[in-house]
Amino acid sequence: MRSLRFTLGSLTLAFMLAALIILATGGSPITVFSALFKGAFGNLYAFGYSLIVYRHYEPPIEIFRTLNRATPLLLCGLAVAVGLRAGLFNIGAEGQLLVGALAAAWVGYAFKGIPALLHIPLAMLAGAVAGGVWGYIPGLLKAWRGAHEVIITIMMNYVAIRLTQYLVNHPLKDPNTLNTATPFIQPSAQLWVIEKSSVFSIGFFIAILLAAGYAFLMRRMSLGFCIRAVGQGAEAARSAGIPVARTLIITMCLSGALAGIGGAIEILGLYHRFYDQFSSGVGFDSIAVALLGGLNAPGIVLSAVLFGGLNTGAEQMQIETGTPLQIAGVIQAIVILLFGARYLKRRA
Amino acid sequence: MTPSPIPIIQMANITKTFPNGVVANDDISLTVWEGTVHAVIGENGAGKSTLMHILYGRYQPDRGRIRLRGEDVRIESPAQAISLGLGMVSQHTTLIPALSVLDNIILGNEYAAFGILNRAGAARRIETLAKQLGVELPLHARTETLSVAAMQKAEIMKALYRGAKMLILDEPTATLAPQEADALFRLLASLKSSGTTILFITHKLREVMQHTDAVTVLRGGRAVGERITRETYPEELLALMLGQRTAGPSVPLSEEAAASAPYAGIYRETEPPETPPSPVHPLPWERGPQSEMLGRPPQSEFAPETSAALPSASAAVPLLEIRELLVLNRRRSPAVQDFHLQVSAGEIVGIAGVDGSGQKQLAEAVVGLSPIERGQVLLDGAVLNGLSVERRLQMGISYIPEDRHREGLILDFTIAENLLLGRQRDRRFGGGWILDLKRLAQLGDRVVQEYRIRAGGGDTVAGTLSGGNQQKVVIARAMEGHPRLVIAMQPTRGLDVGATEYVYDTFRDARTKGVSILLFSLDLDEIFALSDRIAVMYNGRLAGVLPRAQATMEEVGRLMVNG
């Protein structure tokens, strides 16, 4: 309850500060925010009207764009949340997402002539494994040598960025294009599209399914119990017979795998090939998503959609009102600062 | 030893209550004479460190006065303490690892001219000082490359460099090897001969007897006695620390001697000896083990239980066998060595010993939390070495840790979730890949009722319970699931009489069901009230094992201090 109040309070504060900045630059917060909202969720009034009066079901396209943006945020948010539940601050979701995306892209284009029902899971699995390995390394270093996961995951991000850059520029580069990108994936590896013009695929629903899995893991499974125990009282967990080192390693693998699946869905559902630097900091935004969502599944889904909406809405807002895109970044940054401060205070 | 009869430090009626309500110091008075080595001893939590921090200005007392060389002072900060000639060497180093030893020593008191640091001049001064004391210090080495003993020397030099005439050391030998400790005491002796007054905290009686002139004993935040070292003996100090009644020093001071001694008036609570002095020390535990004041059953009531447990005690294969055990502490020196012990089914073996005699490492080696360096631990003939805590728990070894907040419970978890810790794969507890939350909830509610835990139900958060009820949760977890051996570390520490009695009943019940208990306690009354046999640890070794029927407190006490 207190946590919900804090969430709503910090969101309000973030929007209020953004409003002040808009005022200071001579804009009107109401116009800007309504453009932002319309850009994120479309004309909901028109949608509702046509649904009720004409029984005509056609959701605004902005919603699909927002959900597309929300999908990797949701998966990386889950990744960060798993780690935080065990007391691990995984800053490496970005790197894990990148290696997962590239692995999925490779399986997607290099394997030919297999049915979609096999190809899609295989490519997703490749993404999960690659991301999982990227989480395993800091997990292992943490459990064995006590190396701080924040430092290691940040360094792993750079390794991932440069490694994928190299691979997509040389060995895995599509020779038939000027882009630095892999070849397009086979149609059998593409996620089924639900809405064509926004390329909205089943990827979002896979993410929702995994969010449900996350909730089940934490509430109902002994592994989730161990993760929570290690996060809330490592010394007591160790004394009572919970394998702390093993739990830390598994948690980091799981965290990396979720981010890796996030990357895989980006490729299989949206881009259909791996472009160099296709991801712009989703892995970092997801830290705010996890904290804003209170580390629980429904909260993370909501905050992922909110952040997705901020991203898509900001573009519309810039076109309509001339307010710079970065105002959405300001809102996100304030939320991150408030939640980060609270999290650190709790730990200390 | 000819100390001048001036009290250099006088602390009078010091009282300090912490915001959490803990009364750390309760009306403590302390007198230290110039040029002496004075020890402050007491069990963990007796208030020693708090008192020293008050003297050094880190804490402000709620009440009480401090006088230095007869003048009233208010010490409001360590900086002020330093300017008054005090120096403190904390238990944990305050040196900066990346700086050189020299820089650490001069830090905060740099030797500079026109803002330019004169390192060479400072180094010369320190070297002269070190030469006088016979100390060798690598001044230009990076501090992190030093051994703990060398860092301690650097800390002492740092205090002296700032002109300390009174040196406070907080458990200086806790992290030292025996030879290093001897070297430290040689340094302290030469400091003393150069006129420095030394005040140090310890709970090692050997150090007090060998290296000090006077000693103050604290227990439960109160000063319970002040003695001249050569006129006391370890058993008496131990009795004061543990709270036994004592018959006083073996050789009483004559009236005149007491009056003319520079320490006149420092005796407190010293009753005149009731028995005439005999060549053998009159031993402090004449009173015997029964302590009616705690409302425990008189000895006769549990004697039958003891004999009932004895037949199984003579069974062929012991339930627990410890053979030639060697366990190292974090600094890789032996904490437990050459230890051997057998425990039969349905037997309670009490492990007595002065705090820090290796009890914790022994318990952890049996439970699986500390690696076994050499030797073996066997349960029912099966070697446990290398098995995980969880595996040993499945085999029937459960653990009641010493510190229930840090090691025992997860305070944000519910009672039921705390019961599941370590049992997360045990079906009887609702464990398994997928948890059986219904069964876990039932277990929680049943435990709350059965162990009379004052809580609404199993879903109450552990952190909201009182200390006694929290301990009941820890004990319930150890007792549920049919353990065969329970390792209990200080199971009643901090509990009131009712809760303590409840724990004892639980243990006695378990014994009649054939459960063995290895009971580690610093409270001899507790050891005597519950044990079938009493093993005494001294310096990590087994000093002796006595059947309860033949053991006397005096004998156990002697083994505790002399090995």
Side-chain angles (χ1 to χ4, degrees), chain A residues 219-222 225-226 228-229 232 235-236 238-242, chain B residues 369 389-390 406-407 409-410 412 417 421-422 424 432-433 435 437:
Chain A
R219 284 177 54 86
R220 295 295 309 277
M221 293 180 67
S222 67
F225 177 76
C226 289
R228 288 192 292 130
Q232 305 211 17
E235 201 51 45
R238 195 178 86 95
S239 290
I242 283 178
Chain B
L369 289 164
V389 179
E390 194 186 358
R406 219 170 60 83
E407 301 168 313
L409 291 173
I410 294 183
D412 289 338
E417 284 176 322
L421 285 176
Q424 63 276 359
W433 264 93
L435 304 175
L437 293 183

PDB file of all heavy atoms in Angstrom, chain A residues 219-222 225-226 228-229 232 235-236 238-242, chain B residues 369 389-390 406-407 409-410 412 417 421-422 424 432-433 435 437:
ATOM      1  N   ARG A 219       6.167 -16.852  -6.319  1.00  0.00           N
ATOM      2  CA  ARG A 219       5.187 -17.193  -5.287  1.00  0.00           C
ATOM      3  C   ARG A 219       5.146 -18.679  -4.973  1.00  0.00           C
ATOM      4  O   ARG A 219       4.926 -19.078  -3.840  1.00  0.00           O
ATOM      5  CB  ARG A 219       3.791 -16.742  -5.712  1.00  0.00           C
ATOM      6  CG  ARG A 219       3.539 -15.262  -5.597  1.00  0.00           C
ATOM      7  CD  ARG A 219       2.156 -14.938  -6.127  1.00  0.00           C
ATOM      8  NE  ARG A 219       1.127 -15.739  -5.470  1.00  0.00           N
ATOM      9  CZ  ARG A 219       0.543 -15.397  -4.322  1.00  0.00           C
ATOM     10  NH1 ARG A 219       0.883 -14.272  -3.741  1.00  0.00           N
ATOM     11  NH2 ARG A 219      -0.384 -16.154  -3.781  1.00  0.00           N
ATOM     12  N   ARG A 220       5.298 -19.481  -6.022  1.00  0.00           N
ATOM     13  CA  ARG A 220       4.953 -20.882  -5.847  1.00  0.00           C
ATOM     14  C   ARG A 220       6.115 -21.864  -5.944  1.00  0.00           C
ATOM     15  O   ARG A 220       5.950 -23.037  -5.631  1.00  0.00           O
ATOM     16  CB  ARG A 220       3.883 -21.275  -6.884  1.00  0.00           C
ATOM     17  CG  ARG A 220       2.550 -20.581  -6.742  1.00  0.00           C
ATOM     18  CD  ARG A 220       1.854 -20.962  -5.438  1.00  0.00           C
ATOM     19  NE  ARG A 220       1.775 -22.405  -5.253  1.00  0.00           N
ATOM     20  CZ  ARG A 220       0.833 -23.161  -5.794  1.00  0.00           C
ATOM     21  NH1 ARG A 220      -0.105 -22.645  -6.528  1.00  0.00           N
ATOM     22  NH2 ARG A 220       0.824 -24.466  -5.574  1.00  0.00           N
ATOM     23  N   MET A 221       7.261 -21.438  -6.452  1.00  0.00           N
ATOM     24  CA  MET A 221       8.315 -22.424  -6.672  1.00  0.00           C
ATOM     25  C   MET A 221       9.423 -22.285  -5.634  1.00  0.00           C
ATOM     26  O   MET A 221       9.698 -21.202  -5.133  1.00  0.00           O
ATOM     27  CB  MET A 221       8.884 -22.271  -8.086  1.00  0.00           C
ATOM     28  CG  MET A 221       7.851 -22.650  -9.132  1.00  0.00           C
ATOM     29  SD  MET A 221       8.475 -22.499 -10.808  1.00  0.00           S
ATOM     30  CE  MET A 221       9.715 -23.781 -10.829  1.00  0.00           C
ATOM     31  N   SER A 222      10.055 -23.417  -5.333  1.00  0.00           N
ATOM     32  CA  SER A 222      11.100 -23.377  -4.308  1.00  0.00           C
ATOM     33  C   SER A 222      12.284 -22.542  -4.784  1.00  0.00           C
ATOM     34  O   SER A 222      12.945 -21.898  -3.975  1.00  0.00           O
ATOM     35  CB  SER A 222      11.536 -24.783  -3.914  1.00  0.00           C
ATOM     36  OG  SER A 222      12.178 -25.420  -4.976  1.00  0.00           O
ATOM     37  N   PHE A 225      11.520 -19.096  -3.954  1.00  0.00           N
ATOM     38  CA  PHE A 225      11.642 -18.953  -2.494  1.00  0.00           C
ATOM     39  C   PHE A 225      13.102 -18.740  -2.101  1.00  0.00           C
ATOM     40  O   PHE A 225      13.420 -17.865  -1.300  1.00  0.00           O
ATOM     41  CB  PHE A 225      11.070 -20.202  -1.820  1.00  0.00           C
ATOM     42  CG  PHE A 225      11.204 -20.205  -0.330  1.00  0.00           C
ATOM     43  CD1 PHE A 225      10.364 -19.431   0.458  1.00  0.00           C
ATOM     44  CD2 PHE A 225      12.177 -20.972   0.284  1.00  0.00           C
ATOM     45  CE1 PHE A 225      10.490 -19.423   1.834  1.00  0.00           C
ATOM     46  CE2 PHE A 225      12.322 -20.966   1.663  1.00  0.00           C
ATOM     47  CZ  PHE A 225      11.475 -20.193   2.443  1.00  0.00           C
ATOM     48  N   CYS A 226      13.968 -19.553  -2.717  1.00  0.00           N
ATOM     49  CA  CYS A 226      15.406 -19.407  -2.423  1.00  0.00           C
ATOM     50  C   CYS A 226      15.894 -18.024  -2.853  1.00  0.00           C
ATOM     51  O   CYS A 226      16.671 -17.384  -2.141  1.00  0.00           O
ATOM     52  CB  CYS A 226      16.216 -20.479  -3.149  1.00  0.00           C
ATOM     53  SG  CYS A 226      15.982 -22.125  -2.469  1.00  0.00           S
ATOM     54  N   ARG A 228      14.217 -15.232  -3.075  1.00  0.00           N
ATOM     55  CA  ARG A 228      13.755 -14.212  -2.127  1.00  0.00           C
ATOM     56  C   ARG A 228      14.507 -14.304  -0.809  1.00  0.00           C
ATOM     57  O   ARG A 228      14.846 -13.291  -0.190  1.00  0.00           O
ATOM     58  CB  ARG A 228      12.259 -14.379  -1.870  1.00  0.00           C
ATOM     59  CG  ARG A 228      11.410 -13.958  -3.074  1.00  0.00           C
ATOM     60  CD  ARG A 228       9.963 -13.846  -2.696  1.00  0.00           C
ATOM     61  NE  ARG A 228       9.366 -15.151  -2.391  1.00  0.00           N
ATOM     62  CZ  ARG A 228       8.661 -15.417  -1.294  1.00  0.00           C
ATOM     63  NH1 ARG A 228       8.455 -14.469  -0.407  1.00  0.00           N
ATOM     64  NH2 ARG A 228       8.164 -16.619  -1.102  1.00  0.00           N
ATOM     65  N   ALA A 229      14.761 -15.540  -0.360  1.00  0.00           N
ATOM     66  CA  ALA A 229      15.460 -15.716   0.916  1.00  0.00           C
ATOM     67  C   ALA A 229      16.864 -15.127   0.842  1.00  0.00           C
ATOM     68  O   ALA A 229      17.305 -14.430   1.753  1.00  0.00           O
ATOM     69  CB  ALA A 229      15.521 -17.204   1.278  1.00  0.00           C
ATOM     70  N   GLN A 232      16.692 -11.299   0.900  1.00  0.00           N
ATOM     71  CA  GLN A 232      16.248 -10.609   2.117  1.00  0.00           C
ATOM     72  C   GLN A 232      17.058 -10.949   3.346  1.00  0.00           C
ATOM     73  O   GLN A 232      16.969 -10.257   4.357  1.00  0.00           O
ATOM     74  CB  GLN A 232      14.775 -10.928   2.380  1.00  0.00           C
ATOM     75  CG  GLN A 232      13.950 -10.570   1.171  1.00  0.00           C
ATOM     76  CD  GLN A 232      12.548 -10.152   1.552  1.00  0.00           C
ATOM     77  OE1 GLN A 232      12.273  -9.842   2.679  1.00  0.00           O
ATOM     78  NE2 GLN A 232      11.679 -10.149   0.571  1.00  0.00           N
ATOM     79  N   GLU A 235      22.537 -14.243   5.086  1.00  0.00           N
ATOM     80  CA  GLU A 235      23.214 -14.965   6.168  1.00  0.00           C
ATOM     81  C   GLU A 235      22.285 -15.997   6.798  1.00  0.00           C
ATOM     82  O   GLU A 235      22.676 -17.139   7.035  1.00  0.00           O
ATOM     83  CB  GLU A 235      23.686 -13.940   7.214  1.00  0.00           C
ATOM     84  CG  GLU A 235      24.795 -14.398   8.106  1.00  0.00           C
ATOM     85  CD  GLU A 235      25.978 -14.965   7.340  1.00  0.00           C
ATOM     86  OE1 GLU A 235      26.419 -14.371   6.337  1.00  0.00           O
ATOM     87  OE2 GLU A 235      26.450 -16.039   7.746  1.00  0.00           O
ATOM     88  N   ALA A 236      21.036 -15.595   7.027  1.00  0.00           N
ATOM     89  CA  ALA A 236      20.060 -16.533   7.591  1.00  0.00           C
ATOM     90  C   ALA A 236      19.785 -17.657   6.603  1.00  0.00           C
ATOM     91  O   ALA A 236      19.643 -18.818   6.986  1.00  0.00           O
ATOM     92  CB  ALA A 236      18.771 -15.798   7.949  1.00  0.00           C
ATOM     93  N   ARG A 238      21.818 -18.884   4.385  1.00  0.00           N
ATOM     94  CA  ARG A 238      22.977 -19.767   4.371  1.00  0.00           C
ATOM     95  C   ARG A 238      22.960 -20.679   5.606  1.00  0.00           C
ATOM     96  O   ARG A 238      23.136 -21.889   5.501  1.00  0.00           O
ATOM     97  CB  ARG A 238      24.261 -18.932   4.374  1.00  0.00           C
ATOM     98  CG  ARG A 238      25.516 -19.673   4.015  1.00  0.00           C
ATOM     99  CD  ARG A 238      26.694 -18.709   4.006  1.00  0.00           C
ATOM    100  NE  ARG A 238      27.256 -18.552   5.322  1.00  0.00           N
ATOM    101  CZ  ARG A 238      28.305 -19.261   5.772  1.00  0.00           C
ATOM    102  NH1 ARG A 238      28.899 -20.128   4.993  1.00  0.00           N
ATOM    103  NH2 ARG A 238      28.763 -19.078   6.982  1.00  0.00           N
ATOM    104  N   SER A 239      22.720 -20.097   6.776  1.00  0.00           N
ATOM    105  CA  SER A 239      22.706 -20.892   8.002  1.00  0.00           C
ATOM    106  C   SER A 239      21.627 -21.955   7.973  1.00  0.00           C
ATOM    107  O   SER A 239      21.789 -23.023   8.533  1.00  0.00           O
ATOM    108  CB  SER A 239      22.465 -19.988   9.217  1.00  0.00           C
ATOM    109  OG  SER A 239      23.565 -19.183   9.447  1.00  0.00           O
ATOM    110  N   ALA A 240      20.508 -21.637   7.326  1.00  0.00           N
ATOM    111  CA  ALA A 240      19.388 -22.568   7.335  1.00  0.00           C
ATOM    112  C   ALA A 240      19.548 -23.648   6.270  1.00  0.00           C
ATOM    113  O   ALA A 240      18.789 -24.602   6.242  1.00  0.00           O
ATOM    114  CB  ALA A 240      18.080 -21.812   7.128  1.00  0.00           C
ATOM    115  N   GLY A 241      20.518 -23.507   5.387  1.00  0.00           N
ATOM    116  CA  GLY A 241      20.744 -24.570   4.407  1.00  0.00           C
ATOM    117  C   GLY A 241      20.284 -24.241   3.009  1.00  0.00           C
ATOM    118  O   GLY A 241      20.026 -25.139   2.215  1.00  0.00           O
ATOM    119  N   ILE A 242      20.157 -22.967   2.686  1.00  0.00           N
ATOM    120  CA  ILE A 242      19.854 -22.600   1.308  1.00  0.00           C
ATOM    121  C   ILE A 242      21.177 -22.387   0.582  1.00  0.00           C
ATOM    122  O   ILE A 242      22.045 -21.676   1.084  1.00  0.00           O
ATOM    123  CB  ILE A 242      18.955 -21.353   1.262  1.00  0.00           C
ATOM    124  CG1 ILE A 242      17.536 -21.793   1.613  1.00  0.00           C
ATOM    125  CG2 ILE A 242      18.984 -20.676  -0.097  1.00  0.00           C
ATOM    126  CD1 ILE A 242      16.527 -20.700   1.662  1.00  0.00           C
TER     127      ILE A 242
ATOM    128  N   LEU B 369      28.709 -25.331   7.793  1.00  0.00           N
ATOM    129  CA  LEU B 369      28.919 -23.937   7.392  1.00  0.00           C
ATOM    130  C   LEU B 369      30.402 -23.572   7.351  1.00  0.00           C
ATOM    131  O   LEU B 369      30.783 -22.621   6.689  1.00  0.00           O
ATOM    132  CB  LEU B 369      28.188 -22.998   8.358  1.00  0.00           C
ATOM    133  CG  LEU B 369      26.669 -23.023   8.248  1.00  0.00           C
ATOM    134  CD1 LEU B 369      26.023 -22.390   9.467  1.00  0.00           C
ATOM    135  CD2 LEU B 369      26.208 -22.311   6.993  1.00  0.00           C
ATOM    136  N   VAL B 389      24.971 -27.977   3.865  1.00  0.00           N
ATOM    137  CA  VAL B 389      24.099 -27.781   5.021  1.00  0.00           C
ATOM    138  C   VAL B 389      22.758 -28.475   4.781  1.00  0.00           C
ATOM    139  O   VAL B 389      22.218 -29.151   5.656  1.00  0.00           O
ATOM    140  CB  VAL B 389      23.868 -26.273   5.275  1.00  0.00           C
ATOM    141  CG1 VAL B 389      22.944 -26.064   6.456  1.00  0.00           C
ATOM    142  CG2 VAL B 389      25.185 -25.564   5.510  1.00  0.00           C
ATOM    143  N   GLU B 390      22.235 -28.294   3.565  1.00  0.00           N
ATOM    144  CA  GLU B 390      20.929 -28.862   3.258  1.00  0.00           C
ATOM    145  C   GLU B 390      20.957 -30.389   3.323  1.00  0.00           C
ATOM    146  O   GLU B 390      20.050 -31.025   3.853  1.00  0.00           O
ATOM    147  CB  GLU B 390      20.488 -28.402   1.864  1.00  0.00           C
ATOM    148  CG  GLU B 390      19.020 -28.672   1.608  1.00  0.00           C
ATOM    149  CD  GLU B 390      18.616 -28.360   0.180  1.00  0.00           C
ATOM    150  OE1 GLU B 390      19.460 -27.895  -0.610  1.00  0.00           O
ATOM    151  OE2 GLU B 390      17.445 -28.613  -0.150  1.00  0.00           O
ATOM    152  N   ARG B 406      20.319 -12.142  12.561  1.00  0.00           N
ATOM    153  CA  ARG B 406      21.156 -12.168  11.367  1.00  0.00           C
ATOM    154  C   ARG B 406      21.197 -13.568  10.750  1.00  0.00           C
ATOM    155  O   ARG B 406      21.091 -13.722   9.545  1.00  0.00           O
ATOM    156  CB  ARG B 406      22.572 -11.728  11.732  1.00  0.00           C
ATOM    157  CG  ARG B 406      23.249 -10.849  10.704  1.00  0.00           C
ATOM    158  CD  ARG B 406      24.531 -10.283  11.276  1.00  0.00           C
ATOM    159  NE  ARG B 406      25.444 -11.354  11.649  1.00  0.00           N
ATOM    160  CZ  ARG B 406      26.252 -11.955  10.787  1.00  0.00           C
ATOM    161  NH1 ARG B 406      26.284 -11.583   9.531  1.00  0.00           N
ATOM    162  NH2 ARG B 406      27.050 -12.916  11.180  1.00  0.00           N
ATOM    163  N   GLU B 407      21.354 -14.580  11.612  1.00  0.00           N
ATOM    164  CA  GLU B 407      21.544 -15.930  11.087  1.00  0.00           C
ATOM    165  C   GLU B 407      20.304 -16.803  11.214  1.00  0.00           C
ATOM    166  O   GLU B 407      20.164 -17.786  10.511  1.00  0.00           O
ATOM    167  CB  GLU B 407      22.674 -16.633  11.854  1.00  0.00           C
ATOM    168  CG  GLU B 407      23.998 -15.935  11.791  1.00  0.00           C
ATOM    169  CD  GLU B 407      24.978 -16.523  12.814  1.00  0.00           C
ATOM    170  OE1 GLU B 407      24.588 -16.715  13.977  1.00  0.00           O
ATOM    171  OE2 GLU B 407      26.105 -16.803  12.418  1.00  0.00           O
ATOM    172  N   LEU B 409      16.741 -15.872  11.416  1.00  0.00           N
ATOM    173  CA  LEU B 409      15.465 -15.583  10.768  1.00  0.00           C
ATOM    174  C   LEU B 409      15.649 -14.600   9.628  1.00  0.00           C
ATOM    175  O   LEU B 409      16.584 -13.820   9.610  1.00  0.00           O
ATOM    176  CB  LEU B 409      14.516 -14.924  11.776  1.00  0.00           C
ATOM    177  CG  LEU B 409      13.995 -15.772  12.914  1.00  0.00           C
ATOM    178  CD1 LEU B 409      13.222 -14.889  13.882  1.00  0.00           C
ATOM    179  CD2 LEU B 409      13.114 -16.884  12.399  1.00  0.00           C
ATOM    180  N   ILE B 410      14.702 -14.662   8.690  1.00  0.00           N
ATOM    181  CA  ILE B 410      14.567 -13.578   7.725  1.00  0.00           C
ATOM    182  C   ILE B 410      13.387 -12.761   8.206  1.00  0.00           C
ATOM    183  O   ILE B 410      12.249 -13.221   8.203  1.00  0.00           O
ATOM    184  CB  ILE B 410      14.364 -14.126   6.304  1.00  0.00           C
ATOM    185  CG1 ILE B 410      15.646 -14.868   5.875  1.00  0.00           C
ATOM    186  CG2 ILE B 410      14.047 -12.988   5.343  1.00  0.00           C
ATOM    187  CD1 ILE B 410      15.625 -15.403   4.496  1.00  0.00           C
ATOM    188  N   ASP B 412      11.734 -10.220   7.241  1.00  0.00           N
ATOM    189  CA  ASP B 412      10.637  -9.815   6.355  1.00  0.00           C
ATOM    190  C   ASP B 412       9.776 -10.998   5.927  1.00  0.00           C
ATOM    191  O   ASP B 412       8.755 -10.813   5.272  1.00  0.00           O
ATOM    192  CB  ASP B 412      11.194  -9.118   5.104  1.00  0.00           C
ATOM    193  CG  ASP B 412      11.762  -7.743   5.441  1.00  0.00           C
ATOM    194  OD1 ASP B 412      11.366  -7.193   6.479  1.00  0.00           O
ATOM    195  OD2 ASP B 412      12.594  -7.243   4.668  1.00  0.00           O
ATOM    196  N   GLU B 417       7.156 -19.034   6.178  1.00  0.00           N
ATOM    197  CA  GLU B 417       8.279 -18.993   5.230  1.00  0.00           C
ATOM    198  C   GLU B 417       9.601 -19.248   5.945  1.00  0.00           C
ATOM    199  O   GLU B 417      10.490 -19.904   5.412  1.00  0.00           O
ATOM    200  CB  GLU B 417       8.321 -17.628   4.522  1.00  0.00           C
ATOM    201  CG  GLU B 417       7.257 -17.482   3.458  1.00  0.00           C
ATOM    202  CD  GLU B 417       7.247 -16.082   2.839  1.00  0.00           C
ATOM    203  OE1 GLU B 417       7.451 -15.095   3.556  1.00  0.00           O
ATOM    204  OE2 GLU B 417       7.026 -15.995   1.632  1.00  0.00           O
ATOM    205  N   LEU B 421      12.698 -22.398   5.362  1.00  0.00           N
ATOM    206  CA  LEU B 421      14.121 -22.188   5.032  1.00  0.00           C
ATOM    207  C   LEU B 421      14.908 -23.472   5.249  1.00  0.00           C
ATOM    208  O   LEU B 421      14.896 -24.049   6.329  1.00  0.00           O
ATOM    209  CB  LEU B 421      14.719 -21.092   5.916  1.00  0.00           C
ATOM    210  CG  LEU B 421      14.344 -19.654   5.610  1.00  0.00           C
ATOM    211  CD1 LEU B 421      14.953 -18.735   6.654  1.00  0.00           C
ATOM    212  CD2 LEU B 421      14.783 -19.261   4.231  1.00  0.00           C
ATOM    213  N   GLY B 422      15.623 -23.876   4.226  1.00  0.00           N
ATOM    214  CA  GLY B 422      16.406 -25.106   4.324  1.00  0.00           C
ATOM    215  C   GLY B 422      15.588 -26.355   4.044  1.00  0.00           C
ATOM    216  O   GLY B 422      16.121 -27.405   3.746  1.00  0.00           O
ATOM    217  N   GLN B 424      13.148 -26.316   1.733  1.00  0.00           N
ATOM    218  CA  GLN B 424      12.380 -25.943   0.544  1.00  0.00           C
ATOM    219  C   GLN B 424      12.186 -27.095  -0.426  1.00  0.00           C
ATOM    220  O   GLN B 424      11.410 -26.989  -1.355  1.00  0.00           O
ATOM    221  CB  GLN B 424      13.026 -24.740  -0.150  1.00  0.00           C
ATOM    222  CG  GLN B 424      14.411 -24.964  -0.697  1.00  0.00           C
ATOM    223  CD  GLN B 424      15.495 -24.789   0.373  1.00  0.00           C
ATOM    224  OE1 GLN B 424      15.188 -24.488   1.511  1.00  0.00           O
ATOM    225  NE2 GLN B 424      16.745 -25.007   0.004  1.00  0.00           N
ATOM    226  N   GLY B 432       9.391 -28.624  -2.293  1.00  0.00           N
ATOM    227  CA  GLY B 432       9.389 -29.322  -3.575  1.00  0.00           C
ATOM    228  C   GLY B 432       9.582 -28.311  -4.672  1.00  0.00           C
ATOM    229  O   GLY B 432       9.606 -27.110  -4.414  1.00  0.00           O
ATOM    230  N   TRP B 433       9.724 -28.773  -5.907  1.00  0.00           N
ATOM    231  CA  TRP B 433       9.890 -27.851  -7.033  1.00  0.00           C
ATOM    232  C   TRP B 433       8.822 -26.774  -6.998  1.00  0.00           C
ATOM    233  O   TRP B 433       9.094 -25.605  -7.121  1.00  0.00           O
ATOM    234  CB  TRP B 433       9.774 -28.617  -8.352  1.00  0.00           C
ATOM    235  CG  TRP B 433      11.092 -28.996  -8.893  1.00  0.00           C
ATOM    236  CD1 TRP B 433      11.755 -30.182  -8.685  1.00  0.00           C
ATOM    237  CD2 TRP B 433      11.943 -28.202  -9.711  1.00  0.00           C
ATOM    238  NE1 TRP B 433      12.950 -30.149  -9.324  1.00  0.00           N
ATOM    239  CE2 TRP B 433      13.102 -28.956  -9.970  1.00  0.00           C
ATOM    240  CE3 TRP B 433      11.840 -26.923 -10.251  1.00  0.00           C
ATOM    241  CZ2 TRP B 433      14.139 -28.478 -10.741  1.00  0.00           C
ATOM    242  CZ3 TRP B 433      12.884 -26.446 -11.025  1.00  0.00           C
ATOM    243  CH2 TRP B 433      14.015 -27.205 -11.266  1.00  0.00           C
ATOM    244  N   LEU B 435       5.914 -25.326  -4.617  1.00  0.00           N
ATOM    245  CA  LEU B 435       5.603 -25.345  -3.194  1.00  0.00           C
ATOM    246  C   LEU B 435       4.128 -25.684  -2.967  1.00  0.00           C
ATOM    247  O   LEU B 435       3.265 -25.318  -3.754  1.00  0.00           O
ATOM    248  CB  LEU B 435       5.916 -23.977  -2.576  1.00  0.00           C
ATOM    249  CG  LEU B 435       7.341 -23.459  -2.748  1.00  0.00           C
ATOM    250  CD1 LEU B 435       7.449 -22.047  -2.187  1.00  0.00           C
ATOM    251  CD2 LEU B 435       8.341 -24.378  -2.060  1.00  0.00           C
ATOM    252  N   LEU B 437       1.620 -24.486  -0.898  1.00  0.00           N
ATOM    253  CA  LEU B 437       1.401 -23.358   0.013  1.00  0.00           C
ATOM    254  C   LEU B 437       0.378 -23.673   1.088  1.00  0.00           C
ATOM    255  O   LEU B 437       0.447 -23.168   2.199  1.00  0.00           O
ATOM    256  CB  LEU B 437       0.974 -22.116  -0.783  1.00  0.00           C
ATOM    257  CG  LEU B 437       2.030 -21.528  -1.719  1.00  0.00           C
ATOM    258  CD1 LEU B 437       1.510 -20.272  -2.394  1.00  0.00           C
ATOM    259  CD2 LEU B 437       3.327 -21.216  -0.977  1.00  0.00           C
TER     260      LEU B 437
END
